[in-house]
């Protein structure tokens, strides 16, 4: 796992400044396109070209089960993880529709569904038959953690090999908002009731129970949470670990990352703790309906592109935001400059 120690690639300052200069010359008042201008400038610096593009999008959805589901923290039974993976593979889920509409590459990776699946379209890099119940023991062993991290790194490598211009990581795993919330509360020192939400649709009684379970988890592991990888190993899930590995490796390779929602952002938090330079490569697609997400956005110093009360997962929120990135690039690349349009600039 030596690759984890490699720093993220640094953005290209020359193309960043060239893109910023171009924005200042386009036929509009300075800053009139708001965040779209900042997105285009950042992408130019990350891609090392004055005119960026996100036409080639690679989406990797990681699926795994969680032992903590035994504690009744989800509105859906654990069997839904495998059932939804079947749905992905058969093309019937939201992420399938979005990927097809975007012309994006979509792959599904089993990193630890409780009952192994066999399907010609499924990539199997299993770290185990679901994690352990984190109220009782660490969610995973060191070996399992490394396997899951490597699965994510391999996905980033596949994206890079196909010349993808943007990487999206999605996830599927019943009870994973419980694991992610425990990570948020530990890394960001947030009160558990403030960060805990409905997940798949819990009522107030269910949320209160979920809070009590997360309190038990953090109390159980409180003496082992001083390092990011130990936080991930004790509290996390295989799919969260895979996302973490994917983000670190994508940043090392120089591949921009569009983060999805609550679960994906938990992985992004760990990735930036491991390699601070990863933060340069992250774009936050949307504000999750989960209440804890606001604390992560503040930590990452990111404003989301969208705020639509989304909480589906699968990478769906990130996919929905891709057209905005594409429009930001089109405006940056195709608008005329003041000189080209013979329009008088600012006095």
């Amino acid at each position: 796992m030596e690759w984890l120690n490699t720093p993220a690639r640094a953005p290209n300052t020359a193309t960043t400044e060239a893109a910023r200069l171009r924005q200042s010359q386009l036929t509009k008042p300075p800053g009139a396109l708001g965040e779209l201008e900042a997105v285009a400038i950042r992408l130019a610096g990350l891609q090392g070209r004055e005119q960026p593009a996100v036409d080639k999008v690679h989406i990797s959805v990681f699926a795994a089960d969680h032992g903590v589901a035994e504690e009744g923290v989800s509105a859906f039974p654990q069997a839904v993880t495998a059932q939804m993976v079947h749905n992905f593979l058969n093309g019937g889920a939201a992420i399938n529709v979005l990927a097809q509409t975007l012309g994006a590459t979509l792959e599904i990776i089993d990193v630890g569904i409780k009952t192994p699946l066999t399907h010609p379209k499924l990539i199997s890099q299993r770290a185990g038959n679901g994690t352990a119940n984190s109220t009782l023991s660490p969610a995973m062993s060191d070996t399992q953690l490394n396997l899951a991290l490597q699965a994510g790194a391999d996905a980033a490598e596949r994206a890079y090999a196909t010349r993808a211009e943007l990487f999206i990581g999605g996830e599927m795993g019943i009870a994973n908002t419980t694991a992610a919330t425990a990570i948020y509360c530990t890394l960001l020192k947030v009160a558990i009731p403030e960060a805990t939400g409905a997940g798949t649709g819990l009522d107030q009684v269910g949320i209160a129970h979920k809070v009590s379970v997360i309190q038990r988890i953090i109390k159980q592991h409180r003496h082992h949470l001083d390092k990011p990888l130990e936080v991930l190993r004790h509290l996390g899930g295989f799919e969260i670990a895979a996302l973490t590995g994917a983000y670190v490796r994508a940043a090392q390779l120089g591949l921009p990352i569009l983060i999805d929602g609550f679960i994906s952002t938990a992985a992004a938090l760990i990735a930036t703790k491991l390699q601070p330079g990863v933060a340069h490569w992250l774009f936050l697609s949307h504000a999750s309906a989960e209440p804890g997400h606001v604390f992560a956005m503040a930590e990452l110093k990111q404003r989301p592109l969208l705020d639509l009360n989304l909480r589906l997962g699968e990478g769906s929120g990130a996919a929905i935001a891709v057209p905005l990135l594409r429009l930001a690039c089109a405006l940056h690349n195709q608008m005329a400059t003041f000189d080209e349009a013979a329009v008088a600039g600012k006095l």
Side-chain angles (χ1 to χ4, degrees), residues 278-331:
V278 170
H280 293 302
W281 297 88
L282 304 176
F283 293 85
L284 187 59
S285 64
H286 72 101
S288 170
E290 287 291 301
H293 201 224
V294 65
F295 302 104
M297 292 189 291
E299 174 75 9
L300 293 172
K301 298 179 174 60
Q302 287 257 5
R303 290 181 61 182
L305 294 168
L306 301 170
D307 189 351
L308 299 174
N309 207 34
L310 302 173
R311 55 184 180 88
L312 177 58
E314 306 175 6
S316 59
I320 288 167
V322 168
L324 275 180
L325 296 186
R326 288 178 172 172
L327 287 171
C329 292
L331 289 164

Side-chain angles (χ1 to χ4, degrees), residues 137-158:
S137 67
M140 62 193 89
S141 67
D142 287 323
T143 299
Q144 290 176 319
L145 173 61
N146 290 341
L147 287 170
L149 288 166
Q150 188 64 55
D154 290 346
E157 294 272 6
R158 288 191 295 272

Side-chain angles (χ1 to χ4, degrees), residues 1 3-4 60-64 107 109-112 125-127 131 140 144-158 167-172 229 232 236-250 263-264 266-268 270-271:
M1 302 300 292
W3 61 270
L4 278 174
S60 297
V61 179
F62 302 96
E107 62 178 21
I109 304 102
D110 174 8
V111 286
Q125 285 188 267
R126 296 171 53 78
T131 61
M140 62 193 89
Q144 290 176 319
L145 173 61
N146 290 341
L147 287 170
L149 288 166
Q150 188 64 55
D154 290 346
E157 294 272 6
R158 288 191 295 272
F167 179 85
I168 292 174
E171 41 65 38
M172 178 63 215
L229 285 181
L232 181 55
F238 296 146
E239 81 282 33
I240 299 174
L243 285 166
T244 301
Y247 294 156
V248 171
R249 190 66 186 129
I263 312 300
S264 300
I270 295 172

Side-chain angles (χ1 to χ4, degrees), residues 177-189 214 218 231-232 235-237 240 263 265-267 269-270:
T177 60
T178 296
T181 303
I183 290 170
Y184 276 68
C185 294
T186 300
L187 292 181
L188 304 180
K189 310 303 180 187
I214 296 169
I218 293 177
V231 172
L232 181 55
L235 311 182
I240 299 174
I263 312 300
T265 308
L269 288 172
I270 295 172

Side-chain angles (χ1 to χ4, degrees), residues 180-270:
T181 303
I183 290 170
Y184 276 68
C185 294
T186 300
L187 292 181
L188 304 180
K189 310 303 180 187
V190 178
I192 295 169
E194 292 183 35
T196 306
T200 52
L202 294 172
D203 58 17
Q204 290 303 310
V205 173
I207 293 172
H209 172 66
K210 187 174 173 180
V211 167
S212 70
V213 170
I214 296 169
Q215 288 171 336
R216 287 163 53 200
I217 292 169
I218 293 177
K219 182 179 180 181
Q220 169 73 17
H221 304 289
R222 63 190 183 279
H223 299 305
H224 305 279
L225 303 177
D226 55 335
K227 296 178 181 178
L229 285 181
E230 284 300 285
V231 172
L232 181 55
R233 186 172 76 83
H234 283 260
L235 311 182
F238 296 146
E239 81 282 33
I240 299 174
L243 285 166
T244 301
Y247 294 156
V248 171
R249 190 66 186 129
Q252 292 168 343
L253 294 168
L255 179 56
I257 302 155
L258 186 58
I259 307 171
D260 187 34
F262 189 70
I263 312 300
S264 300
T265 308
L269 288 172
I270 295 172

